[in-house]
Amino acid sequence: MPFAHPARTRSGRTARHRLAAVTAATLLPALLAACAGDASADAPSTTAATAALPTEVPAGTTLVVGDPTTQKAVEIAGDDLDSDLGFTIEWANLSGGPQTTEAFRAGALDVGAVADIPPIHAEWTGLDVKIVSAVYRQDWQENPIYEFGVAPGVDGVESLEAFAGHRIAYSPGQAQGVIVLRALQEAGLAQDDVTLVELPSNGDVYATALAAGEVDIAPIGGVQIARYLEKYEADGAHTVRHGLRDDPSHLYAPTAVIDDPAKAAALRAYVQLWAQAKLWVHDHPEEWKAGYYVADQGLSPADADYLVERAGIPDIPADWSEAIARHQETIELLAKATGNDVLDAADLWDQRFAPVVAEAVAAYREKEAG
C-alpha cells in the first residue's frame, strides 16, 4: 500500500502509518530536546557486522530521513512504488555532508543522502558511520556531474595540465573539493602548483566567483554549467571536462542507528524503497521533470530538460568491491591532502545491505517487465 500523499486519496485503503514531511528548522530543535530521552538509545544491539539484519519493524518505529530527492520521487511516483513500509518516515529537509553530519551528532537524524566524502570526514572527526547503499552512473564518462568552469579572460586552459599557476575554487570536505584534488593528481600537479581558494560550494557561489574574477577555475555542476555558459561564454568563459569519476551517491547512517534493531529493520526497508525510487526516476523522465524540477524546484522546462538529459543511467551495484576500492583511493588522496590518518574503506561500508538493495532492484525490474 502506498503512502498517503497530500494530493492523493486513499481510495479505500487502510492507513497503517503516516508520512511526516518536516523542515530542518522544525525537526532539529524538537529532536534535540527529545534525543536525551530516546528510548531506542537503550535498545540492545543485535546488529553486529556478522549478524543478519533484522527484518521485523516493531510498531511505533520512526525513521528520520534526510533525503529530499527520494522524498519527492516517492510522492510523485505514487502507486508506482510500494512505499507502505509499515512504519513512520519523517522526512527532514537536509542535504549535503555538513548539515547531515551535524544532525547525526545531535541525534536528530537516522540516515542521510550524500556523495562519498562526508562519511570519511565523519570518521575523521570521531563520528562512527556506515554507508548502507550506493548508486553511480553507468555512463559517467559521457555524463559527469561536474565540469571545470574557466573564468572569462583566462586563456589557454583547455586541459587539466593547464591548471598550473591558476586560482582554483576549493571546498574541503565536499565532492567539489575532491574533484579538484583528483584533477590535480591526474595532471601530475601538486597543490603548490596552484592556488586553492577556499569557498563554500553551495548554490551559484562558484559561478559567481568565476564571473567576478575571484578565481580562475572552479568545479560547477548541474544546471549551473548551462547558466554559466549562457551568461559568460560570449565573454570568453568556457568549461573543461575532467574525464574522472565524480558520480558516487550514498546513503549513510550512524553506526548507533544500525545497532538499534528497530531502526536497522526500518533502514533495511528504506534502502529498498530508495533503490526503486532511483530506477523509477530514470524510467519516468517526463513525470520527474514536471513534478520535481519544475513544480518543486521552480526550474524552467528548459533547465529541467538539460538536467534530465545529463542525469545518466543509474548503476546500483550488487557487489560493492569495486566501489570500496575506489573509495579507498579517495581516502588516501584526502588523507595526503589533509594530514589525516588513512582509513580502511571497507570499515565504512555495511555490506549486509548490498544484497538487500540488489533484491529491490531485481524486484523492480521484474515488475516493470510485467
Side-chain angles (χ1 to χ4, degrees), residues 274-295:
W274 170 90
Q276 295 188 347
K278 294 296 182 187
L279 299 175
W280 184 92
V281 165
H282 176 262
D283 292 346
H284 298 82
E286 295 305 318
E287 293 96 320
W288 188 241
K289 283 191 291 188
Y292 180 63
Y293 287 128
V294 176

Side-chain angles (χ1 to χ4, degrees), residues 361-370:
V361 170
Y364 176 89
R365 292 301 189 205
E366 182 178 355
K367 177 182 176 183
E368 290 297 296

Side-chain angles (χ1 to χ4, degrees), residues 99-122:
Q99 276 194 327
T100 301
T101 299
E102 181 181 354
F104 285 161
R105 291 190 189 283
L109 189 69
D110 294 323
V111 59
V114 293
D116 57 345
I117 310 308
I120 300 171
H121 276 268

Side-chain angles (χ1 to χ4, degrees), residues 21-343:
V22 265
T23 65
T26 301
L27 172 72
L28 287 174
L31 290 183
L32 280 168
C35 66
D38 188 351
S40 66
D42 298 324
S45 173
T46 60
T47 55
T50 55
L53 288 171
T55 58
E56 297 297 323
V57 183
T61 298
T62 295
L63 193 71
V64 187
V65 178
D67 189 1
T69 304
T70 299
Q71 176 188 359
K72 296 307 299 184
V74 169
E75 292 175 0
I76 296 168
D79 291 343
D80 288 354
L81 294 175
D82 183 9
S83 54
D84 184 353
L85 305 182
F87 57 86
T88 297
I89 290 180
E90 289 187 352
W91 296 105
N93 188 23
L94 292 168
S95 61
Q99 276 194 327
T100 301
T101 299
E102 181 181 354
F104 285 161
R105 291 190 189 283
L109 189 69
D110 294 323
V111 59
V114 293
D116 57 345
I117 310 308
I120 300 171
H121 276 268
E123 287 288 338
W124 276 338
T125 56
L127 179 64
D128 193 12
V129 297
K130 292 288 185 289
I131 294 167
V132 295
S133 60
V135 61
Y136 304 90
R137 294 182 175 187
Q138 291 182 22
D139 48 353
W140 58 271
Q141 292 167 309
E142 294 81 13
N143 292 294
I145 294 175
Y146 301 106
E147 296 181 21
F148 282 100
V150 180
V154 177
D155 299 323
V157 178
E158 302 292 344
S159 67
L160 301 184
E161 289 76 12
F163 285 11
H166 289 288
R167 299 167 299 162
I168 305 176
Y170 178 64
S171 54
Q174 294 186 278
Q176 292 92 331
V178 173
I179 198 61
V180 169
L181 297 179
R182 287 179 178 144
L184 296 179
Q185 182 184 57
E186 180 70 12
L189 299 174
Q191 290 186 46
D192 290 343
D193 293 324
V194 300
T195 300
L196 297 180
V197 181
E198 290 197 15
L199 290 172
S201 58
N202 51 297
D204 62 353
V205 170
Y206 279 7
T208 300
L210 287 167
E214 296 173 4
V215 295
D216 302 321
I217 300 165
I220 51 178
V223 75
Q224 292 294 334
I225 298 172
R227 290 176 178 173
Y228 178 66
L229 293 176
E230 181 181 0
K231 290 182 180 179
Y232 304 110
E233 191 169 21
D235 298 326
H238 65 283
T239 63
V240 173
R241 286 204 170 191
H242 49 71
L244 305 169
R245 293 205 73 153
D246 63 358
D247 58 333
S249 179
H250 300 150
L251 290 180
Y252 75 135
T255 301
V257 169
I258 303 173
D259 283 346
D260 180 323
K263 296 282 191 181
L267 187 57
R268 182 186 185 279
Y270 179 73
V271 299
Q272 293 190 307
L273 176 61
W274 170 90
Q276 295 188 347
K278 294 296 182 187
L279 299 175
W280 184 92
V281 165
H282 176 262
D283 292 346
H284 298 82
E286 295 305 318
E287 293 96 320
W288 188 241
K289 283 191 291 188
Y292 180 63
Y293 287 128
V294 176
D296 185 72
Q297 297 295 297
L299 299 180
S300 68
D303 284 346
D305 287 339
Y306 179 90
L307 291 172
V308 167
E309 288 168 4
R310 289 159 179 77
I313 302 168
D315 174 22
I316 305 176
D319 184 336
W320 290 351
S321 300
E322 183 181 340
I324 292 172
R326 291 199 303 268
H327 208 196
Q328 186 66 51
E329 293 175 357
T330 299
I331 290 171
E332 292 170 6
L333 177 64
L334 278 175
K336 182 179 179 181
T338 62
N340 284 294
D341 293 335
V342 174
L343 306 172

